[in-house]
Amino acid sequence: ENNNIVVGVFTNPELHNKGIGSKILKLGSDLAINYFNVDKISAYIKLNNKISIKAFRKAGYSHFNNIEINSIPSVEMHYFKK
């Protein structure tokens, strides 16, 4: 059985590029994977949101697919149980 969680994060723009978002994502993702015993966590991010994509990558998420959500170009990223 493949369990999955979908996650998103928002940080105050004044706190961008300080590593806070990626740290929250990394700690929260590791906690969620273990606590909820899931195989992966998915994130769907607008393609033009480069800051968010960078934070997810830094937290250990990998690019999976380019998709459209409600006609908005987006990227699907995954974080897997280690």
Side-chain angles (χ1 to χ4, degrees), residues 55-69:
F56 276 87
R57 280 193 182 127
K58 190 174 177 184
Y61 282 72
S62 56
H63 179 271
F64 180 71
N65 198 14
N66 286 345
I67 59 172
E68 281 196 9
I69 300 174

Side-chain angles (χ1 to χ4, degrees), residues 11-74:
T11 57
N12 184 321
E14 294 174 7
L15 301 176
H16 286 179
N17 294 312
K18 297 184 185 211
I20 294 170
S22 61
K23 286 179 186 169
I24 290 169
L25 282 166
K26 174 71 174 146
L27 291 170
S29 297
D30 287 338
L31 178 68
I33 278 194
N34 291 313
Y35 184 81
F36 295 108
N37 194 31
V38 297
D39 300 319
K40 73 177 178 183
I41 300 176
S42 299
Y44 302 92
I45 307 160
K46 292 179 184 175
L47 196 56
N48 66 354
N49 190 344
K50 303 300 183 198
I51 292 172
S52 186
I53 292 170
K54 179 182 172 186
F56 276 87
R57 280 193 182 127
K58 190 174 177 184
Y61 282 72
S62 56
H63 179 271
F64 180 71
N65 198 14
N66 286 345
I67 59 172
E68 281 196 9
I69 300 174
N70 297 325
S71 299
I72 299 170
S74 302

